[in-house]
Amino acid sequence: MKKKMLLLNTTVLLGLGGVLSTPAYASTIQDMESQKSQIQNQRQDVQSNIKAASDELTRLQAEQDQMKAQLERLTLAEEENNKKAEKTEADIKETSKQVEQLEKEIKLLQEKLEKRNDILKDRARSMQESGGNVEYLQVLLGSSSFGDFVDRALAVSTIVDADRGILTETKNMQDELKTKQADVKSKLASLEDMKAELDEMTVQLAAQKKQKDALAKELKDKEAKNEELKASLQSKDSSLANEQSTLEQNIKDQKAAEQAAKEAAKKAAEQAQKAAAAPAEKADSSSAKAEAPKASSNDVAPTSAPAPKASNVVTVGNRWIGNSAYVFGGGRSQSDINHGLFDCSSFVHWAYSQVGVNLGPLGSVSTETLKHAGTQVSSSQMQPGDLVFFDTYKKDGHVGIYVGGGKFIGAQSSTGVAIANMSSGYWKQKFNGRVVRI
């Protein structure tokens, strides 16, 4: 009987020992819970990086869209400038032909005048030899040139009507040809000035477009790298999620096994106690349920501060910086203005119009009209808002608005509307000292 009781008590103790000896299970679960927590923290970091990569992609896309819009403006400006350059070249060729033809006509006329000169000399000598009035000969001998002789001869009363008619006709033809030649040469000089500016502008626009293309490529490369980073982070997040899911299942299975072992031990103890008819201690069991930390994110969409409203002529043009292109003769229609296509004088006209100052008809505005639009002041007295002039392809070929600090804003052929430094470098060399206060 005692042996039987001893056996039953041993069985109960063994059963209780199975219930109470759970540290191995608890340690394994604790490790897995700790590992799960670490993985969740890693996922939070990865997801935060994914969001940062997505935000950077959004920013880069907006920057790229803005760059594409600027490239489209530059392409449109280049097309317009090329058209104007082609037309100017054609006008120069046509005008050159006109000048060449006029020079031929002048040469023929001069030959005719030389012949008439000889005839008039003979007539004067004949009159002298026949005892006629000597005034004709004196006119010939006293003249400094043939043109002077014609003017003198016309004043001599003894010249016969036929001679007077020849002289008058010759002088009129000579004056007309000189006028035409002067007009054509003046027009040719103006066209050549335009061509010089267009050539310079085309070179600068090509360089600017090359720079913008390089920047666009850089943005595209950055976008590709961010896409690659985002994909890598998402893959890592997916792997961590799978690992977390596996750990959660293992924890669940381990807890279930622990619970089953406890219940089996408890049942064995109860049976042993019943068989021994003795009270048995009930094993206390407790299981800690690990609650997975919940990641929380309260993302607030960034809000951009309202753009400061331009209040004067110095700052009103800032809206076009990076959003405009230079077109020779541009900015004189609403369509050009809407697309940010200006030349230097039309930009100045637009800027002043925004603050209520009219600088004359938009269609005829030029650096020449603007330099007479206000009062000239010394460059030592220059103030923000004054117009400043530069000798580029010609005298007063460029104009801008002084903004202070040795800088001015204007439509530059290489950059579109931009703020440039006139205290050093290219613009310091080109500044001619002309300052006009409106």
Side-chain angles (χ1 to χ4, degrees):
M1 182 67 179
K2 287 182 179 180
K3 291 181 178 180
K4 185 176 181 181
M5 289 297 292
L6 179 61
L7 180 61
L8 289 172
N9 287 333
T10 301
T11 303
V12 171
L13 289 173
L14 290 173
L16 290 173
V19 174
L20 298 174
S21 62
T22 58
Y25 287 117
S27 176
T28 302
I29 292 174
Q30 185 177 0
D31 289 344
M32 287 190 290
E33 289 284 7
S34 176
Q35 189 176 358
K36 174 185 172 183
S37 178
Q38 291 176 2
I39 290 174
Q40 287 175 327
N41 289 336
Q42 290 179 30
R43 284 198 69 193
Q44 286 182 341
D45 291 341
V46 170
Q47 288 169 353
S48 176
N49 290 335
I50 290 174
K51 182 180 183 303
S54 297
D55 291 344
E56 178 65 8
L57 282 172
T58 300
R59 186 191 69 78
L60 286 173
Q61 186 60 53
E63 188 175 347
Q64 196 172 41
D65 290 343
Q66 184 178 4
M67 188 58 61
K68 287 179 180 177
Q70 178 65 359
L71 287 173
E72 289 176 0
R73 283 189 206 94
L74 289 173
T75 300
L76 177 60
E78 189 176 20
E79 290 175 355
E80 291 298 319
N81 289 326
N82 284 336
K83 289 179 183 178
K84 291 180 182 297
E86 291 173 1
K87 183 179 184 303
T88 301
E89 288 172 354
D91 290 343
I92 289 174
K93 289 180 180 179
E94 179 62 28
T95 306
S96 297
K97 290 180 181 179
Q98 294 176 11
V99 170
E100 185 178 351
Q101 181 61 34
L102 281 174
E103 288 174 346
K104 289 180 180 179
E105 293 177 3
I106 289 174
K107 184 177 180 181
L108 291 174
L109 177 61
Q110 288 173 340
E111 292 175 355
K112 291 181 180 179
L113 289 175
E114 288 296 332
K115 291 180 180 179
R116 292 186 179 187
N117 186 20
D118 293 338
I119 294 173
L120 290 172
K121 285 180 181 179
D122 292 339
R123 294 177 66 85
R125 291 192 185 97
S126 176
M127 290 182 65
Q128 177 67 21
E129 291 172 357
S130 63
N133 195 308
V134 298
E135 283 188 278
Y136 207 167
L137 183 59
Q138 290 174 343
V139 167
L140 178 61
L141 297 176
S143 61
S144 59
S145 65
F146 183 65
D148 183 36
F149 168 73
V150 171
D151 291 335
R152 287 169 173 261
L154 285 172
V156 177
S157 59
T158 58
I159 296 176
V160 296
D161 290 341
D163 291 342
R164 187 179 298 278
I166 292 174
L167 289 169
T168 302
E169 181 183 355
T170 301
K171 180 174 175 57
N172 290 340
M173 290 175 62
Q174 191 176 39
D175 291 344
E176 181 181 0
L177 285 174
K178 285 182 178 180
T179 300
K180 287 183 178 180
Q181 186 180 38
D183 290 343
V184 172
K185 285 185 177 181
S186 175
K187 183 178 180 182
L188 181 60
S190 176
L191 289 172
E192 288 175 347
D193 286 343
M194 292 170 60
K195 180 63 169 58
E197 183 177 21
L198 286 169
D199 287 344
E200 179 183 0
M201 178 183 55
T202 300
V203 171
Q204 291 175 335
L205 282 175
Q208 184 187 32
K209 188 175 185 302
K210 183 178 180 180
Q211 179 183 6
K212 297 295 184 182
D213 287 342
L215 184 56
K217 183 179 182 302
E218 181 182 351
L219 287 172
K220 188 175 182 180
D221 291 342
K222 285 184 180 179
E223 184 180 13
K225 287 180 180 179
N226 271 272
E227 287 285 6
E228 183 180 351
L229 174 61
K230 184 179 177 182
S232 174
L233 290 170
Q234 287 175 333
S235 176
K236 185 176 180 180
D237 181 61
S238 178
S239 176
L240 287 171
N242 291 334
E243 191 174 346
Q244 179 180 337
S245 178
T246 300
L247 277 172
E248 288 174 347
Q249 185 61 45
N250 288 343
I251 292 171
K252 182 178 179 182
D253 293 344
Q254 193 76 341
K255 285 183 177 180
E258 179 186 348
Q259 186 64 28
K262 288 180 180 180
E263 290 176 356
K266 182 179 178 182
K267 186 175 181 180
E270 287 175 351
Q271 289 176 349
Q273 286 175 345
K274 287 179 181 179
E281 281 186 70
K282 294 183 179 180
D284 295 328
S285 61
S286 62
S287 59
K289 295 183 179 179
E291 183 178 356
K294 296 182 180 179
S296 64
S297 174
N298 296 320
D299 296 331
V300 180
T303 57
S304 57
K309 184 177 181 181
S311 59
N312 55 54
V313 73
V314 174
T315 58
V316 72
N318 290 350
R319 58 171 290 194
W320 294 116
I321 297 176
N323 298 302
S324 60
Y326 185 97
V327 173
F328 185 83
R332 288 164 177 77
S333 69
Q334 193 58 48
S335 175
D336 278 359
I337 294 173
N338 292 342
H339 288 88
L341 305 179
F342 296 97
D343 65 9
C344 62
S345 54
S346 66
F347 171 74
V348 168
H349 187 284
W350 174 86
Y352 269 93
S353 71
Q354 300 305 295
V355 295
V357 178
N358 185 356
L359 296 181
L362 176 60
S364 59
V365 65
S366 65
T367 55
E368 192 67 24
T369 63
L370 290 176
K371 74 181 185 181
H372 300 296
T375 303
Q376 292 196 30
V377 297
S378 170
S379 59
S380 62
Q381 299 175 336
M382 193 159 44
Q383 297 177 3
D386 290 344
L387 303 188
V388 286
F389 291 79
F390 305 84
D391 293 343
T392 51
Y393 70 102
K394 67 175 183 178
K395 181 72 174 175
D396 299 317
H398 189 71
V399 62
I401 302 172
Y402 186 65
V403 299
K407 297 180 180 181
F408 75 99
I409 186 171
Q412 328 297 10
S413 59
S414 59
T415 59
V417 176
I419 295 176
N421 189 352
M422 57 184 290
S423 298
S424 62
Y426 176 82
W427 292 112
K428 180 180 180 180
Q429 297 174 0
K430 297 298 182 180
F431 178 53
N432 62 18
R434 185 187 299 278
V435 180
V436 173
R437 184 160 297 161
I438 301 300

